[in-house]
Amino acid sequence: MEAGDITELKILEIPGPGDSRQCGDSQQMDTAMPGVGCQVGPSQNGTGKVLKKPMSSSAPQNIPRRTDMKSQELVISPQQQCSKSYMDRHMETLSQSKGFRRRHNSWSSSSRHPNQVTPKKSGLKNGQMKSKDDECFGDDIDEIPDTDFDFEGNLALFDKAAVFEEIETYERRSGTRSRGTPNEKPARYRHDENILESEPIVYRRIVVPQNPHKEFCTDSGLVVPSVSYELHKKLLAVAEKHGLTLERRLEMTGVCASQMALSLLGGPNRLNPKNVHQRPTVALLCGPHVKGAQGISCGRHLSNHDVHVILFLPNFVKMLESITNELNLFSKTQDLPDTPVDLVINCLDCHENAFLRDQPWYKAVVDWANQNRAPVLSIDPPMSEMELGIDAKWSLALGLPLPLGERAGRVYLCDIGIPQKVFQEVGINYHSPFGCKFVIPLHST
C-alpha cells in the first residue's frame, strides 16, 4: 500500500486526563499520547475505505503519574465524556448517586490506566464480584462525625456504687459469694499468722485473784496484769516447794538478764571478734541479798561472752549462802571505775532490807551511778518509788510484773520457768504470754 492510495486519514482520539481538545486533533494527540490511536488500512475489497480498528491492549502504553492524574482530572471538558471508558462513566454515576468518596489507597484499574481499554466481562461471577465491591467500597453514610468519642463523659454516667450494691444485695439473698467489692479491703497476714479460720483470739488469758493495780500488754496485744509483792512472794515460795529451787531460779534469771544486756550492748554488731578494741564494759552493782545474787549470776554469763564486767559488792562479814556460791563461781570483784561504762546493772535495792539505803556504801554507789550517766538496767526492782535510788532506763520483772512506776523505765518480763500448776495453786489462771521468747517487752495500758 502506497501513500497515494489513502484518500482520507482520521485518527480517533482516546483522551487522557488533562487533554481538553477535540477528537480530531491528530498532532497534539500524537504528542500527548504516543502509541495510542487507531490502525488505518485498506479494506478486504481493496478500496480506500478507512477502517477504524482499536489497537490491542497489549501495546506499550505510557502510564501517567498519580500527581499528574489528580491535576488532569479537573480540566476534562463535557465534550470528552463520549470518549471515556465504561468504567469511568460507571464510577462517576456511583459517585453522583451515592456521594461516593474515593479512598486514598483504593485506586481503580481505570484510574491507574485511564487510556487502557479494559475488556468487558460478563457472567454471574462478575456480577457477584461487582456486588461485593459495592458493599465494600460503597458508602451510604451521609456524614461521618469528626469529633472523638467522649469515654470519660460516658463513664461518668455509669453509677458503679449502685451496681455493686445491687450485686451485693442479690448475692446476700441468693447465698452466693462474691469475689470482692471495691470498698472491701483484702486481709493481709504476716508470715507467722494462720490464714485458716480459727477461734477468736482471747487477749486476756491471765486472770489474777486480786484486782490488779496496773496492767501491761505485749506486742501481740495480750494483757499481762500486775501482782502485789505478797502474791509474787507466795508464787516463788510455792515454786520452790515444787522443785524450782533458788539455785535454778538464780540461774534462769542470770541467763535471761544476760541475754537482755547483750542485746542492749549491741548484740552481734558489737560482740564481734573483729571488734576486740570495742569490748563493752558493764558495771554490776549488787547488794548483800538474793537480788544481788541474781546480779552476780548475770555478770558471770556476761563475762563468759567476752564482756568486761566490773562487780561492786559491799564487804560483809557474813553473807548469804546464795551470794557466797555465786561469788565462788564469779571469783572476782573490782572497784568502781573512774571512766564511763557502757551499761550499769542495778541490783542494790531489796524489798525487805530498807535500812541498806542508809549505809554509806549505798549512798556512794548511788552517787557514782548518777554521775556516770550510763544507761541503767534494774533486775527485779521494788515497786515503791521511794525505794529506788537510781533511775532506770529498763527494768526486768520475773514471772509476773509488779506495779512499777515511771522511774523503773521500760518494763520487760522474763520467764524463769514457773510450772503451770504453781500458778493454779496460788489462784492464778495463767497462759504463757512469752511465745518463742524468754524475754518480752511490756507496754503500759
Side-chain angles (χ1 to χ4, degrees):
M1 178 178 176
E2 299 179 357
D5 296 335
I6 300 175
T7 59
E8 186 179 1
L9 178 62
K10 292 183 179 180
I11 299 176
L12 295 179
E13 178 185 4
I14 301 177
D19 191 1
S20 60
R21 295 160 187 81
Q22 297 297 330
C23 297
D25 193 352
S26 61
Q27 294 180 357
Q28 296 185 5
M29 185 60 195
D30 293 338
T31 305
M33 292 296 188
V36 178
C38 298
Q39 184 178 0
V40 181
S43 63
Q44 295 180 359
N45 52 10
T47 61
K49 187 178 180 180
V50 178
L51 296 179
K52 295 178 285 296
K53 183 178 179 181
M55 296 176 63
S56 175
S57 60
S58 61
Q61 301 175 10
N62 291 335
I63 300 176
R65 290 177 298 178
R66 183 174 300 180
T67 56
D68 298 335
M69 293 164 59
K70 291 183 180 179
S71 61
Q72 292 171 0
E73 287 176 359
L74 301 177
V75 295
I76 298 176
S77 62
Q79 290 81 5
Q80 294 174 348
Q81 300 295 331
C82 60
S83 61
K84 291 186 178 179
S85 63
Y86 170 76
M87 183 62 68
D88 292 336
R89 293 197 300 272
H90 180 65
M91 295 300 293
E92 289 180 359
T93 305
L94 291 178
S95 63
Q96 292 176 2
S97 60
K98 297 184 178 181
F100 181 77
R101 292 191 299 272
R102 187 188 304 274
R103 300 190 182 186
H104 295 288
N105 58 350
S106 60
W107 296 90
S108 63
S109 59
S110 60
S111 62
R112 292 177 183 174
H113 310 288
N115 299 324
Q116 180 179 359
V117 179
T118 304
K120 183 178 179 181
K121 296 183 180 179
S122 62
L124 181 61
K125 186 176 180 181
N126 187 23
Q128 292 179 355
M129 295 299 295
K130 180 180 178 182
S131 62
K132 290 183 179 180
D133 291 341
D134 292 342
E135 293 179 0
C136 179
F137 299 103
D139 194 357
D140 296 335
I141 302 177
D142 297 335
E143 182 180 357
I144 298 178
D146 296 334
T147 58
D148 295 335
F149 182 76
D150 188 5
F151 289 95
E152 296 182 358
N154 285 268
L155 183 60
L157 300 177
F158 176 65
D159 192 357
K160 294 186 289 186
V163 173
F164 279 109
E165 184 179 359
E166 182 180 355
I167 295 174
E168 186 178 359
T169 304
Y170 172 76
E171 290 175 349
R172 285 199 303 264
R173 293 178 180 177
S174 60
T176 59
R177 184 177 180 182
S178 64
R179 295 184 179 179
T181 58
N183 296 329
E184 182 181 356
K185 295 182 179 180
R188 296 182 178 271
Y189 299 94
R190 298 198 310 268
H191 66 281
D192 57 348
E193 290 183 338
N194 188 9
I195 64 174
L196 300 178
E197 295 183 0
S198 58
E199 298 179 357
I201 301 176
V202 179
Y203 291 99
R204 192 175 294 275
R205 298 182 178 181
I206 303 176
V207 181
V208 295
Q210 302 174 356
N211 188 17
H213 297 282
K214 191 174 183 179
E215 287 185 341
F216 301 90
C217 67
T218 64
D219 292 338
S220 301
L222 300 177
V223 179
V224 180
S226 63
V227 295
S228 60
Y229 173 72
E230 290 77 12
L231 183 59
H232 193 271
K233 184 179 179 179
K234 182 180 179 180
L235 180 65
L236 296 180
V238 174
E240 189 172 354
K241 183 182 68 173
H242 284 276
L244 187 61
T245 61
L246 178 61
E247 289 77 11
R248 288 186 175 182
R249 195 168 72 245
L250 290 176
E251 189 68 17
M252 194 66 185
T253 304
V255 171
C256 293
S258 61
Q259 287 182 351
M260 182 176 177
L262 290 173
S263 299
L264 297 176
L265 291 172
N269 296 326
R270 181 75 180 275
L271 300 172
N272 193 307
K274 298 180 180 180
N275 294 336
V276 181
H277 61 285
Q278 295 182 357
R279 183 183 180 187
T281 302
V282 174
L284 187 60
L285 311 179
C286 298
H289 38 63
V290 178
K291 307 292 182 183
Q294 295 174 351
I296 298 173
S297 176
C298 175
R300 173 167 54 88
H301 289 287
L302 289 177
S303 180
N304 293 337
H305 287 269
D306 203 19
V307 177
H308 183 208
V309 180
I310 300 174
L311 172 62
F312 170 81
L313 182 66
N315 188 9
F316 277 79
V317 177
K318 187 177 181 180
M319 289 285 188
L320 294 177
E321 183 180 359
S322 58
I323 295 179
T324 304
N325 295 335
E326 291 295 333
L327 282 176
N328 292 333
L329 293 174
F330 191 66
S331 70
K332 62 177 180 180
T333 58
Q334 298 178 7
D335 295 333
L336 294 175
D338 297 334
T339 58
V341 296
D342 295 285
L343 181 65
V344 174
I345 299 179
N346 180 20
C347 298
L348 291 175
D349 300 302
C350 182
H351 298 284
E352 292 86 3
N353 301 330
F355 67 92
L356 295 177
R357 294 192 297 271
D358 298 331
Q359 301 294 324
W361 60 267
Y362 183 90
K363 295 180 180 180
V365 173
V366 169
D367 293 339
W368 175 87
N370 292 330
Q371 293 177 3
N372 193 273
R373 297 181 180 179
V376 179
L377 169 63
S378 295
I379 299 179
D380 193 16
M383 59 183 180
S384 177
E385 293 285 341
M386 300 300 297
E387 297 177 2
L388 296 176
I390 303 175
D391 293 338
K393 188 174 183 178
W394 308 280
S395 292
L396 183 63
L398 309 179
L400 284 176
L402 300 175
L404 302 176
E406 296 180 357
R407 298 186 63 184
R410 186 174 183 180
V411 181
Y412 285 76
L413 184 67
C414 74
D415 184 12
I416 57 176
I418 300 177
Q420 182 75 26
K421 58 182 179 180
V422 175
F423 288 100
Q424 295 177 357
E425 188 172 343
V426 298
I428 298 177
N429 186 8
Y430 180 81
H431 190 279
S432 175
F434 292 97
C436 62
K437 300 179 180 179
F438 283 89
V439 180
I440 57 174
L442 297 181
H443 310 278
S444 300
T445 58

